[in-house]
Amino acid sequence: MLDLLFRALFGGLGVAAVAGPLGAFVVWRRMAYFGDTLAHSALLGVALGLLFDINLNLAVVVLCVGLALVLVTLQKKHIIATDTLLGILAHSSLSLGLVAVSFLDNIRIDLMAYLFGDLLAISTTDLYWIYIGGAVVLLLLTLFWKPLLAMTVNEELAKVEGYPVEAIRLLLMLLVALVIAVAMKIVGVLLITSLMIIPAATARRVSNSPVQMATMASLIGCVSVGSGLWASYQWDTPAGPSVVVCAALLFLFIYSLPKFNRV
């Protein structure tokens, strides 16, 4: 049992550490619905991975990255409003994934685990995916921090300064896709975005700079994972949703305090 808990803790902390800084950009750029769209499509990636007998993490990464590229392409064409486009893709991909899973009669699949996470079922292979994927995301965030921040503050000014705004925007979307893919086992496709948004939104209340907000978001995410796992162990509640509930309680607590400077 302790082995399961330690793997769950290490996996959750790995995801929280990388979801914090990335979540800061999601909050700043108001990309929460975009994250939801990619998260919902992850179930379709699972179904396709099972259908073609390939690694599920790889299948989800490929599908999420592919959908991010499709979104960028469709946004450029201005065929339909972005929020409408995201709504169509989110629910269509989730529904298609659910339908595809129903046809996999010869394969046993715990649908609830993919929808709401199964933190205690994290394997050593999952840990490799989480930490390698997380390291890649953190490295790219570090390398492209200045252009990402410049684009977030003012895209026109970023273009004047010589930053390739379109490429940087695509990079941010691809990083969100990668984090969603590796975090699927933690909180499930329906709750993945919460692990990026809630800690970042909480950190915004008590931060004075972008770097401080990114760091605080990681710390708050890690606290949420630890307290959520403890609550799950004590009261036999689902681990993934327990983590999200703890993050939400931290959010409410911080926002009940006197107002701090905001980023």
Side-chain angles (χ1 to χ4, degrees):
M1 182 62 182
L2 285 178
D3 186 43
L4 290 176
L5 285 174
F6 278 122
R7 278 207 302 268
L9 180 61
F10 289 142
L13 292 178
V15 169
V18 70
L22 191 59
F25 283 103
V26 171
V27 170
W28 291 330
R29 293 185 59 80
R30 300 179 181 179
M31 291 174 60
Y33 204 9
F34 171 79
D36 278 335
T37 301
L38 290 183
H40 289 172
S41 70
L43 187 63
L44 180 57
V46 171
L48 293 176
L50 292 171
L51 182 62
F52 295 107
D53 194 24
I54 59 177
N55 183 280
L56 296 187
N57 290 315
L58 180 60
V60 172
V61 168
V62 171
L63 188 76
C64 286
V65 168
L67 187 62
L69 293 172
V70 169
L71 280 169
V72 171
T73 303
L74 292 177
Q75 282 178 330
K76 286 182 181 178
K77 295 183 180 297
H78 301 291
I79 298 173
I80 193 171
T82 300
D83 60 338
T84 305
L85 174 64
L86 290 173
I88 293 171
L89 288 176
H91 302 298
S92 298
S93 57
L94 178 62
S95 300
L96 186 57
L98 290 169
V99 170
V101 166
S102 69
F103 283 109
L104 300 173
D105 295 329
N106 58 330
I107 300 174
R108 293 186 62 186
I109 177 172
D110 183 1
L111 193 56
M112 294 297 288
Y114 287 106
L115 290 176
F116 299 105
D118 192 0
L119 192 51
L120 296 178
I122 286 182
S123 65
T124 304
T125 303
D126 292 325
L127 287 178
Y128 287 139
W129 272 95
I130 288 170
Y131 278 90
I132 292 173
V136 170
V137 171
L138 287 178
L139 177 62
L140 290 173
L141 277 177
T142 303
L143 292 175
F144 293 96
W145 178 265
K146 285 186 178 180
L148 279 168
L149 198 58
M151 180 189 71
T152 300
V153 173
N154 190 310
E155 288 195 3
E156 294 301 321
L157 186 59
K159 286 181 181 179
V160 171
E161 292 178 357
Y163 292 121
V165 171
E166 295 294 333
I168 297 299
R169 187 189 296 122
L170 177 60
L171 172 66
L172 181 59
M173 291 183 176
L174 294 180
L175 292 180
V176 172
L178 182 57
V179 169
I180 285 172
V182 299
M184 183 177 61
K185 266 287 185 72
I186 307 297
V187 288
V189 300
L190 297 183
L191 299 175
I192 285 175
T193 339
S194 62
L195 207 54
M196 286 193 288
I197 296 171
I198 300 176
T202 306
R204 189 174 190 176
R205 179 76 171 185
V206 294
S207 303
N208 297 316
S209 69
V211 173
Q212 190 180 54
M213 177 173 163
T215 304
M216 286 294 294
S218 287
L219 292 175
I220 291 169
C222 289
V223 171
S224 300
V225 168
S227 54
L229 272 176
W230 178 83
S232 175
Y233 179 76
Q234 287 292 319
W235 296 300
D236 195 26
T237 56
S242 297
V243 169
V244 176
V245 168
C246 287
L249 290 175
L250 276 173
F251 173 83
L252 292 174
F253 173 72
I254 294 297
Y255 271 77
S256 69
L257 298 175
K259 192 174 182 179
F260 292 81
N261 291 332
R262 291 178 57 190
V263 179

